[in-house]
Amino acid sequence: MPEIIRITEVGLRDGLQNQPVAVPLQGKLTLLEALIEAGLRHVELTSFVRPDAVPQLADAAQFVEAAFHQGLTARLDDCMALVPNMKGYERAHAAGVRSVALVLAVSETLNVRNINMTLEQATVICEAVTRRAVADGVRVRVYLAAAMGCPFDGPSPPERVHALAARMIDAGADVIAVADTIGAGHPADVPALFDPLVRAYGDTRIAAHFHDTRGLGSALAWQAALSGVRQFDASIGGLGGCPFAPGASGNVATEDLAFLFEQAGFATGINLDRLPDVLDTVEGLLGVRHQGRVAPWLLSQRKKRGSRVSSTPILSS
Ligand code: COA
Ligand code: ZN
């Protein structure tokens, strides 16, 4: 049995929050369905933040409701929503969300810019929201943002990431998602950051969230896999970025990570042959082509076989 790598699709949240146009609700449903058709089963749907701070996701409650109503969430193993504070948690909970992602930057300034709190305030609020979610039986992931560097405060010491991870695990968090929010990391920095976390909490409780700002997203992910990480975030076409973290570009592309890990013999559950269809859907919604590095090759393989979708695994071609 091949070992499993779990890829969580964050394009609907991290990707769409940063687009110049707000994708209408129906378009989000179409994208979610295309992702599910391609085999994605772990998806971050949206965020319950101030609607005026991120207007692209202001329809969070309606989107979640529509996704439930259309039976899309029933086809997922995890459908998460980002919440920045207790109010966001309460909105998400009222909308029926049973898996939340909190955000805590490891640097002082990014917390202020992103969520208008000092690091200590943000930490205390994350602990309180985590405890409340645990009491409600809601699953909690905590993003430790800017874990490999902050656009305002510079490098982030791994020890600070480890200390915050310990506090959030103590509060009851299920998963710590170590996030290189602006793509400042280098693979050489990965072992010191990730090895102690995987050793302490195991691979089911640690996820890696890389951005591809400097073209190292896949290299970072591979190095993290060597550190024992088995859960990765990615966004279709490499969409993404944080409106409050200057310099942040897109997440590492879902197609690049799925290809990287499938080619190495891991099972991701993702049908590589279907991913170009999802890229077409994104292009239709945004009017711009977004794609990761491997997309042209995936398409050429499909063309070579002369059929749009093959039942044969792409590796055998
Ligand atoms: N959802 C909707 N409204 C919210 C809210 C939430 N999660 N949190 C606070 N508000 C509302 C309050 O009800 C209040 O409204 P009122 O003026 O009508 O009474 C107003 O916002 C101010 O509340 P306050 O608690 O002072 O929040 P704030 O202005 O300090 O904003 C955040 C804090 C976190 C809500 C805001 O900074 C935010 O939404 N940031 C977006 C972060 C983000 O999405 N980053 C990218 C992903 S990491
Ligand atoms: Zn991100």
Side-chain angles (χ1 to χ4, degrees):
M1 276 273 285
E3 211 185 329
I4 291 172
I5 291 272
R6 175 181 301 171
I7 295 182
T8 296
E9 172 62 42
V10 297
L12 281 157
R13 195 277 301 171
D14 212 343
L16 298 190
Q17 75 181 8
N18 214 31
Q19 297 307 313
V21 291
V23 173
L25 192 147
Q26 187 52 50
K28 290 175 181 169
L29 291 169
T30 304
L31 176 53
L32 177 57
E33 188 165 17
L35 289 163
I36 293 171
E37 290 296 324
L40 274 303
R41 291 293 175 267
H42 297 81
V43 176
E44 188 177 40
L45 291 176
T46 186
S47 65
F48 288 81
V49 298
R50 272 183 68 153
D52 55 335
V54 184
Q56 296 91 332
L57 305 181
D59 60 0
Q62 297 93 308
F63 175 48
V64 167
E65 195 191 321
F68 275 111
H69 191 67
Q70 297 194 6
L72 295 173
T73 53
R75 297 168 65 191
L76 293 170
D77 295 330
D78 187 20
C79 37
M80 216 167 33
L82 184 146
V83 301
N85 56 12
M86 195 62 88
K87 168 137 189 180
Y89 173 80
E90 280 164 359
R91 288 177 57 214
H93 193 239
V97 169
R98 293 295 171 264
S99 176
V100 293
L102 315 186
V103 54
L104 173 61
V106 307
S107 69
E108 198 61 61
T109 310
L110 187 58
N111 282 303
V112 176
R113 299 289 184 103
N114 192 35
I115 53 174
N116 197 24
M117 298 174 208
T118 64
L119 174 55
E120 187 52 29
Q121 282 169 339
T123 308
V124 169
I125 283 177
C126 273
E127 286 173 325
V129 177
T130 298
R131 292 203 182 96
R132 166 75 186 281
V134 169
D136 289 343
V138 168
R139 191 173 161 76
V140 179
R141 128 193 292 226
V142 178
Y143 283 112
L144 293 180
M148 301 186 87
C150 167
F152 308 105
D153 298 351
S156 300
E159 303 71 41
R160 195 186 299 169
V161 180
H162 300 159
L164 289 171
R167 265 179 86 166
M168 292 306 135
I169 292 272
D170 279 351
D174 296 288
V175 173
I176 302 296
V178 179
D180 183 15
T181 308
I182 58 166
H186 187 280
D189 306 327
V190 163
L193 181 59
F194 282 91
D195 285 3
L197 292 172
V198 176
R199 237 188 344 260
Y201 309 117
D203 61 12
T204 58
R205 301 189 77 181
I206 300 299
H209 175 107
F210 293 122
H211 282 252
D212 211 9
T213 314
R214 301 190 296 172
L216 293 178
S218 290
L220 285 158
W222 183 250
Q223 189 65 51
L226 295 180
S227 288
V229 175
R230 294 293 179 265
Q231 301 185 60
F232 294 87
D233 292 354
S235 77
I236 190 70
L239 293 173
C242 175
F244 308 98
S249 77
N251 294 81
V252 64
T254 303
E255 56 274 27
D256 288 353
L257 281 203
F259 178 74
L260 174 74
F261 289 122
E262 288 283 331
Q263 190 84 5
F266 290 100
T268 65
I270 296 172
N271 184 340
L272 292 170
D273 246 2
R274 289 265 181 196
L275 290 177
D277 298 333
V278 193
L279 296 173
D280 292 345
T281 302
V282 172
E283 186 176 355
L285 294 174
L286 298 176
V288 179
R289 186 73 177 174
H290 290 267
Q291 60 184 27
R293 299 286 298 275
V294 80
W297 189 84
L298 290 180
L299 262 180
S300 72
Q301 295 304 298
R302 207 160 79 166
K303 279 207 187 93
K304 223 156 84 181
R305 281 191 304 272
S307 64
R308 275 188 67 71
V309 175
S310 161
S311 54
T312 21
I314 203 121
L315 282 184
S316 65
S317 58

